[in-house]
Amino acid sequence: MEKAPPDGDAATLALETVTKILAAANVNVSGTLRASHDSEADGPVIDLTGEDSGLLIGRRGQTLQALQFLVTSIVRTHHSDVSRVVLDVEGYRNRREVALRDMANKVAERVAQTGRSITLEPMSPADRRVIHTSLSSHPSVTTESIGVGENRKVTIMPRRKK
Amino acid sequence: MKELIEYIARSIASNPGAVKVTQTEEGGQIVLRLEVAPEDKGKVIGRQGRVAQAMRVLLRVAAVKDGTRAILEIM
């Protein structure tokens, strides 16, 4: 076995927690550690794969998001230095990010042309972050999150002329 | 399904020994009742009910796998 990295404890706890929750939910997916401490996530990243991968992702990634939230909450009760645990299912996060960026750019173009704001459907924090970052340096639109909790969504609006 | 909620609640609670889940069947669906120590109630519900909501999402997956329906009540 490899020597545990300094922050190996949080990563080990994260993997163990994911594995136990999935087993208790009877979901046939297994997890491996991609990174024990990813600098962007500021925490461990776990890859999940198996026959129930589609079920685990859920509609618009809702189930994966719920599992990630619970695992992060549990890990953070023991390791307050970890910001979050990231769970990915067969490259889902990357595919989702590409699709979201594409959509964000198309909507931004329309907002820029019409001069009218467009509000997107409610999204998870991770999805909203992708929209904000992908449009942060756009010359003619700005973004803002509105609403609370499950209903929080991004509005893309024309950048005010100076 | 009982084990799923028990495991999550015990992992989050500061008093895991006080976590109790009872499973009954009512009107064709499984009803899980979660009881925790008073000081842990806020933790298993979470800010804006996010922990409870996440547990319900996972419970739905477990129920789908079992070909049934299940609801979670936090007492």
Side-chain angles (χ1 to χ4, degrees):
Chain A
M1 250 178 68
E2 277 179 37
K3 191 170 160 272
D7 53 352
D9 282 358
T12 306
L13 176 64
L15 187 56
E16 186 186 294
T17 303
V18 172
T19 305
K20 282 192 178 154
I21 291 176
L22 291 173
N26 203 14
V27 174
N28 284 319
V29 167
S30 61
T32 50
L33 200 59
R34 185 194 298 175
S36 53
H37 191 99
D38 179 78
S39 57
E40 197 191 325
D42 190 23
V45 181
I46 293 168
D47 278 309
L48 300 164
T49 183
E51 62 173 287
D52 287 332
S53 56
L55 181 70
L56 180 59
I57 293 170
R59 197 165 156 261
R60 281 194 259 122
Q62 189 202 29
T63 309
L64 183 61
Q65 205 56 39
L67 180 61
Q68 179 174 299
F69 175 75
L70 287 174
V71 174
T72 296
S73 305
I74 293 167
V75 170
R76 277 175 54 86
T77 60
H78 303 277
H79 301 271
S80 51
D81 54 318
V82 166
S83 293
R84 62 199 171 110
V85 177
V86 174
L87 304 181
D88 197 3
V89 179
E90 297 170 3
Y92 171 77
R93 299 232 173 252
N94 195 37
R95 272 182 282 136
R96 175 82 179 154
E97 191 174 325
V98 169
L100 284 171
R101 278 175 194 276
D102 193 47
M103 185 268 286
N105 285 322
K106 280 181 186 150
V107 174
E109 227 166 274
R110 257 192 76 192
V111 170
Q113 273 170 14
T114 62
R116 289 199 184 144
S117 301
I118 295 178
T119 299
L120 307 174
E121 62 182 6
M123 282 177 194
S124 68
D127 284 359
R128 291 197 310 273
R129 196 177 305 126
V130 172
I131 306 286
H132 290 307
T133 55
S134 66
L135 295 178
S136 63
S137 58
H138 195 285
S140 43
V141 304
T142 58
T143 59
E144 193 180 291
S145 285
I146 55 165
V148 283
E150 294 298 298
N151 207 29
R152 203 154 162 80
K153 43 200 165 184
V154 178
T155 295
I156 300 177
M157 54 206 145
R159 200 181 277 275
R160 261 180 287 151
K161 300 256 164 25
K162 289 255 169 75
Chain B
M1 272 176 268
K2 183 171 177 273
E3 295 73 33
L4 173 70
I5 299 303
E6 254 170 11
Y7 176 74
I8 296 169
R10 287 198 175 127
S11 303
I12 288 170
S14 54
N15 185 354
V19 171
K20 198 179 139 198
V21 180
T22 53
Q23 180 166 341
T24 55
E25 209 190 308
E26 290 167 26
Q29 70 179 359
I30 291 166
V31 179
L32 295 168
R33 291 194 175 83
L34 170 63
E35 287 173 71
V36 297
E39 70 267 25
D40 281 329
K41 200 161 173 185
K43 287 188 184 163
V44 297
I45 292 171
R47 262 195 298 156
Q48 294 169 354
R50 280 190 76 194
V51 175
Q53 163 71 15
M55 285 197 287
R56 290 190 170 108
V57 170
L58 286 175
L59 181 62
R60 194 186 311 141
V61 172
V64 166
K65 286 287 292 182
D66 269 21
T68 179
R69 282 154 51 90
I71 59 166
L72 171 66
E73 287 177 5
I74 298 171
M75 312 308 282

